[in-house]
Amino acid sequence: MTHTYWAEHAWLDPVVEPGVALDVGADGRIAAVRTGVETPPPGATVLRGLTLPGLANAHSHAFHRALRSTVQVGSGTFWTWREVMYSVADRLTPETYHALARAVYAEMALAGVTAVGEFHYLHHAPGGKRYADPNAMGEALIAAAADAGIRITLLDTAYVASGLRDAAEGAPPDHHQLRFSDGTAEAWAERAALLKDREHARIGAAVHSVRAVPARQLGTVAEWAGSRGAPLHVHLSEQTAENEACLAVHGCTPTRLLADHGVLGARTTGVHNTHLTDEDIALIGGSGTGTCMCPTTERDLADGIGPAPALQRAGSPLSLGSDSHAVIDLFEEARAMELNERLRSHTRGHWTAAALLRAASADGHAALGWGDAGALVPGALADFATVALDSVRTAGAAARLGAEVAVFAASGADVRHTVVGGRHVVRDGAHTLLPDVPSALTHAVTALH
């Protein structure tokens, strides 16, 4: 059986078409895309507004959602922010993490996100003791995504050191980081191998950073991901202090270190890629390594503005993430990437609205290993979202400018419908699986403070 969704307007990259019927098969994929359908076919579900491919949040730390507003009191640096983050991480259990992540992923669905890349390093109990199920925390995240109705790529993260010490070894984890660490990359690989893909979830890998994985262990993580054809992500040059420490210990930049140990490549995504040399940009682009920009977090932490245009020109595909969840709004991430660059360069128009939507959808899904999602085409996963064109933010513009309206005016609050695998997860602005998302967030967050 097929079911038809009728979109009043749909973004069929790169243009907006009126009256589009999306036929969805029993397999949860788009069976046909029919344009010029002026009125809803009998039995069709009507989507008023602009329907887009589902958005991919390519970089998430779900538990950081509990920091929202709390970390805005007073001032400080990334490193003082990190201490507050550790205090929240210390309180999480598999049960409380599931409750929090379910609410966070439901918040994402309400904002049109259909897939999330969870950069997961909170593996063990406080003090580093393993749970009876060594992947209890990761399984909690996978279950939370299912309960919230979205897809997840669990980027299980190697995090075995607290910093760079010498060319052979990293500094041992501090007491907060013991629950992040498996001891060695080899032990990480053994545990991560127990995780399995399922219909809504795929397993990837991550190097937390060159600070957290000693150089001689980087290849273990890269080989693990390579043998499985899995996505591999890494925090890269987010902080100038990381670059300085890497130069002091290894005599090279973090990008060069990753390149020399086989981490860069077409399945790899560098997150932030902020403080780069020209050689770094050439290494990233030349290897086909992707770049995930997280502008709302990068500005919140005063990290800086990464050289996204130069990276893209060099060959690095761009994706977007909400990272610490200062806000969860992929339209804001897309808008901020362009507007940040305008402020830095004093020029406008670095990306078209279509290019920014592509980063938030197709290219984000590709970075997470969901290459069969992120476009409204036959055969693709039936994952899409509809943005209202009649809110106070979006009203007034011609429908043919829907892509520009979505990127430069809309917010996640303007999403009216989210469909994942043909399943109506958000209907008329309400989550169908978790009816009271604000209460779920309140209960989950207050339990950690």
Side-chain angles (χ1 to χ4, degrees):
M1 292 181 61
T2 62
H3 179 72
T4 298
Y5 287 89
W6 181 80
E8 184 180 27
H9 303 279
W11 182 65
L12 304 181
D13 187 9
V15 299
V16 173
E17 293 280 356
V20 177
L22 302 169
D23 298 328
V24 177
D27 60 356
R29 294 179 178 272
I30 298 173
V33 178
R34 294 180 283 132
T35 58
V37 182
E38 295 183 358
T39 59
T45 298
V46 175
L47 305 176
R48 295 285 178 189
L50 175 68
T51 297
L52 308 163
L55 306 177
N57 190 346
H59 189 67
S60 163
H61 299 290
F63 76 94
H64 288 190
R65 174 62 178 80
L67 303 175
R68 188 182 293 179
S69 299
T70 302
V71 291
Q72 304 301 344
V73 178
S75 60
T77 67
F78 168 86
W79 308 103
T80 56
W81 170 90
R82 190 175 72 158
E83 290 304 311
V84 180
M85 179 269 288
Y86 283 159
S87 70
V88 171
D90 286 343
R91 299 186 183 101
L92 284 163
T93 66
E95 293 74 24
T96 58
Y97 206 6
H98 173 267
L100 177 61
R102 178 182 60 184
V104 173
Y105 296 156
E107 182 181 356
M108 291 184 192
L110 287 168
V113 172
T114 57
V116 60
E118 185 62 38
F119 199 101
H120 168 57
Y121 55 82
L122 193 54
H123 301 306
H124 309 300
K129 182 179 179 180
R130 290 196 171 202
Y131 293 104
D133 175 356
N135 286 305
M137 296 294 270
E139 291 292 349
L141 293 165
I142 291 171
D147 291 345
I150 70 171
R151 305 184 194 278
I152 185 171
T153 297
L154 188 74
L155 297 159
D156 197 277
T157 303
Y159 191 135
V160 300
S162 64
L164 292 152
R165 185 173 66 182
D166 57 48
E169 300 291 343
D174 67 22
H175 67 284
H176 295 296
Q177 298 162 339
L178 287 171
R179 72 180 309 189
F180 307 162
S181 177
D182 291 292
T184 65
E186 289 76 13
W188 164 84
E190 290 176 6
R191 179 189 50 73
L194 301 174
L195 291 160
K196 304 300 179 187
D197 289 355
R198 52 215 80 175
E199 185 177 359
H200 80 291
R202 293 182 179 170
I203 308 302
V207 171
H208 179 273
S209 57
V210 298
R211 291 181 287 109
V213 180
R216 66 180 185 179
Q217 298 184 49
L218 291 170
T220 299
V221 185
E223 289 164 12
W224 188 95
S227 68
R228 290 163 172 77
L232 174 61
H233 288 215
V234 54
H235 289 134
L236 179 54
S237 288
E238 181 180 6
Q239 294 290 323
T240 54
E242 174 185 302
N243 289 3
E244 292 162 3
C246 192
L247 284 166
V249 171
H250 295 291
C252 65
T253 66
T255 301
R256 168 53 71 183
L257 190 69
L258 294 174
D260 289 348
H261 288 83
V263 176
L264 302 186
R267 285 180 296 96
T268 300
T269 297
V271 180
H272 304 303
N273 291 1
T274 306
H275 303 286
L276 303 176
T277 67
D278 289 344
E279 182 191 19
D280 292 340
I281 293 169
L283 284 169
I284 291 167
S287 63
T289 299
T291 295
C292 180
M293 304 299 291
C294 305
T296 66
T297 292
E298 290 150 5
R299 73 190 184 198
D300 182 55
L301 296 179
D303 286 342
I305 301 170
L311 283 160
Q312 189 170 53
R313 287 194 299 270
S316 180
L318 300 179
S319 56
L320 296 164
S322 63
D323 192 359
S324 69
H325 312 313
V327 296
I328 293 176
D329 188 338
L330 267 289
F331 300 121
E332 175 62 18
E333 303 295 345
R335 176 162 57 242
M337 187 164 70
E338 166 67 24
L339 298 185
N340 285 353
E341 194 58 34
R342 291 182 185 185
L343 285 172
R344 180 167 65 175
S345 67
H346 300 175
T347 59
R348 303 175 79 230
H350 300 275
W351 294 277
T352 64
L356 292 167
L357 283 178
R358 206 170 297 127
S361 55
D363 291 343
H365 281 95
L368 298 178
W370 296 94
D372 50 352
L376 301 180
V377 296
L381 291 168
D383 298 356
F384 38 88
T386 303
V387 179
L389 294 179
D390 57 358
S391 77
V392 293
R393 288 167 293 277
T394 61
R400 62 182 174 79
L401 299 176
E404 287 75 13
V405 170
V407 171
F408 291 105
S411 78
D414 294 312
V415 172
R416 293 292 175 265
H417 303 278
T418 303
V419 174
V420 182
R423 182 188 195 185
H424 214 148
V425 175
V426 173
R427 186 191 298 268
D428 295 320
H431 202 288
T432 62
L433 305 177
L434 196 62
D436 192 349
V437 178
S439 289
L441 284 163
T442 298
H443 293 150
V445 171
T446 55
L448 301 173
H449 290 286

